[in-house]
């Protein structure tokens, strides 16, 4: 099976009552800003790049808050999703890639749980528990 790594950025407002989400054009589903890690790209760089491409915002990446995976046998793919906690550090919220993203919105936690039900206990549980696993890029050798 082909391994595909996908990174997401979990960005909340200051009160942690809303999550920044994007509506994808290809399937009209809401997700966190994110996408596939490109060849020779670190997880951190991919998460920052994808957030910028999908929202216009610069983000700082912190620890890992969730790891999900599935195997798509008909496509012979093993997809691993790594979700990072992220904070906005600059930029302007805008759709840079209208061919991919049709809407950007701050979604209430309860609605985010419904729109993206892939996390055990929901995104709201991840936001409220405020726990992350340290991510450290050890560089290239």
């Amino acid at each position: 099976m082909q391994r595909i790594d996908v990174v997401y950025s979990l960005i909340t407002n200051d009160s942690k009552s809303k999550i920044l989400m994007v509506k994808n054009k290809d399937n009209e589903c809401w997700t966190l800003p994110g996408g596939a890690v490109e060849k020779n790209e670190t997880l951190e760089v991919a998460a920052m790049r994808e957030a910028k491409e999908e929202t216009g915002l610069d983000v700082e990446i912190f620890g890992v808050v969730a790891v999900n995976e599935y195997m798509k046998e008909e496509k012979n793919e093993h997809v691993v999703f790594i979700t990072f906690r992220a904070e906005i550090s600059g930029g302007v919220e805008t759709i840079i890639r209208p061919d991919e993203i049709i809407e950007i919105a701050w979604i209430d936690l309860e609605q985010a749980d419904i729109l993206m039900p892939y996390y055990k206990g929901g995104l709201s549980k991840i936001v409220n528990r405020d726990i992350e696993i340290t991510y450290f890029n050890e560089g290239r050798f």
Side-chain angles (χ1 to χ4, degrees):
M1 293 194 136
Q2 178 188 3
R3 167 81 178 260
I4 300 171
D5 292 330
V6 173
V7 290
Y8 285 127
S9 292
L10 176 62
I11 305 164
T12 61
N13 63 351
D14 289 339
S15 66
K16 296 187 178 184
S17 62
K18 295 181 185 281
I19 296 174
L20 186 64
M21 297 184 77
V22 296
K23 190 172 187 181
N24 296 281
K25 188 172 187 177
D26 63 348
N27 57 12
E28 296 198 13
C29 287
W30 286 91
T31 66
L32 300 175
V37 177
E38 295 177 357
K39 187 176 181 176
N40 296 317
E41 187 175 49
T42 66
L43 299 173
E44 178 181 39
V45 168
M48 291 186 298
R49 175 186 53 77
E50 286 288 346
K52 180 71 170 184
E53 289 176 357
E54 294 190 354
T55 68
L57 298 169
D58 300 311
V59 298
E60 187 175 348
I61 299 300
F62 297 95
V64 175
V65 295
V67 177
N68 298 33
E69 69 180 323
Y70 74 86
M71 294 190 186
K72 203 177 229 181
E73 293 186 6
E74 68 275 2
K75 288 190 171 186
N76 200 34
E77 294 176 343
H78 178 193
V79 184
V80 178
F81 300 91
I82 301 102
T83 304
F84 289 94
R85 184 176 67 80
E87 292 179 2
I88 298 169
S89 60
V92 176
E93 190 177 308
T94 185
I95 296 174
I96 293 176
R97 294 192 161 187
D99 55 318
E100 294 178 18
I101 303 299
I102 55 177
E103 190 175 349
I104 302 169
W106 289 94
I107 307 289
D108 289 326
L109 285 178
E110 297 78 23
Q111 185 66 20
D113 286 341
I114 294 166
L115 293 172
M116 203 170 178
Y118 315 107
Y119 295 92
K120 189 175 184 177
L123 282 165
S124 58
K125 183 175 181 181
I126 292 170
V127 169
N128 290 324
R129 79 172 177 227
D130 204 26
I131 295 174
E132 60 189 50
I133 303 301
T134 301
Y135 168 79
F136 180 68
N137 177 358
E138 294 186 24
R140 295 179 190 248
F141 298 92

